[in-house]
Amino acid sequence: VQLVESGGGLVQPGKSLKLSCSASGFTFSSYGMHWIRQAPGKGLDWVAYISSSSGTVYADAVKGRFTISRDNAKNTLYLQLNSLKSEDTAIYYCARSGYGSYFDYWGQGVMVTVSS
Amino acid sequence: QITLTQQAESLWVSPGEKVSITCRASQSLLYTDGKHYLSWYQQRPGQTTKALIYHASIRTDGVPTRFIGSGSGTEFTLSIEDVQPEDIALYYCLQTLKKPYTFGAGTKLELK
């Protein structure tokens, strides 16, 4: 199992960014997927979840601004980040939802910096 | 939302010792299926975050037997017996009983 995030970078407040998570080594369409973030020097915060049937759930802090989606044909998970704020600055990780309702595999993370 | 409290920000340990990391939930993590929806994760610099324990006490594949998860209801413990140098890391608990899923603040294991 391998998860590789991309798409991070420096973005101004109020702007948008789209993160990708390329999955390999398993049947991507059969698993729910999560995004988790970690602000510099801080702990882990769950951001969003998408089920194998594309049902979605969001943390309150990002609801209405972020959109999680998936393309099973491309084995890729996405996170669209809109109306970005400085407090969204963090490393963003994708993780697979394992049987047993835990996050069984994680990517290495991608940095998003929101600053003018 | 469910709050997870890891009271110890840091714990100091010598190789070979046993250490316990605690995680307290603001409500029971026991579901009607009889399982606790509490898992433990290890973060080491330069490595991907690793799942160690799920359902409070089940080790994930390949995790050494010195990692032991225990507890029930609202009180959970990750014990590491015979600590090895490679166990020096950050450890987080996570509840997946109710959304929003929430993590503890983390406990940093450091060498004496």
Side-chain angles (χ1 to χ4, degrees), chain B residues 2 25 27-38 72-74 76 97-98:
Chain B
I2 298 175
Q27 64 185 84
S28 175
L29 299 184
L30 177 64
Y31 188 53
T32 53
D33 61 3
K35 299 172 183 174
H36 290 87
Y37 283 74
L38 187 284
S72 62
T74 61
F76 300 91
L97 180 68
K98 292 183 181 177

Side-chain angles (χ1 to χ4, degrees), chain B:
Chain B
Q1 68 178 41
I2 298 175
T3 301
L4 296 184
T5 301
Q6 292 180 245
Q7 284 205 314
E9 284 190 22
S10 296
L11 291 171
W12 286 264
V13 64
S14 297
E17 289 184 342
K18 175 182 175 178
V19 66
S20 294
I21 300 169
T22 60
C23 176
R24 177 177 293 131
S26 58
Q27 64 185 84
S28 175
L29 299 184
L30 177 64
Y31 188 53
T32 53
D33 61 3
K35 299 172 183 174
H36 290 87
Y37 283 74
L38 187 284
S39 47
W40 290 95
Y41 300 84
Q42 179 192 62
Q43 263 199 336
R44 293 166 61 189
Q47 301 207 0
T48 59
T49 301
K50 182 179 182 180
L52 300 174
I53 302 285
Y54 66 100
H55 287 328
S57 62
I58 302 174
R59 268 185 300 272
T60 64
D61 290 344
V63 170
T65 55
R66 64 179 182 273
F67 290 88
I68 301 167
S70 62
S72 62
T74 61
E75 300 277 341
F76 300 91
T77 302
L78 174 68
S79 298
I80 310 173
E81 297 182 340
D82 186 21
V83 168
Q84 300 298 302
E86 61 266 29
D87 300 335
I88 300 307
L90 268 163
Y91 292 87
Y92 293 92
C93 54
L94 164 70
Q95 70 80 20
T96 52
L97 180 68
K98 292 183 181 177
K99 297 182 179 72
Y101 297 151
T102 46
F103 289 89
T107 298
K108 188 174 185 180
L109 198 58
E110 301 188 84
L111 275 177
K112 279 182 186 173

Side-chain angles (χ1 to χ4, degrees), chain A residues 2 5 10 13 17 19-21 23 25 42 45 61 71 74 85 92 103 105 113:
Chain A
Q2 191 170 19
E5 302 93 339
L10 173 64
L17 202 62
L19 307 182
S20 300
C21 169
K42 302 295 184 181
D45 280 321
D71 185 334
K74 294 184 178 179
K85 307 175 182 180
Y92 284 74
F103 301 176
Y105 289 96
T113 303

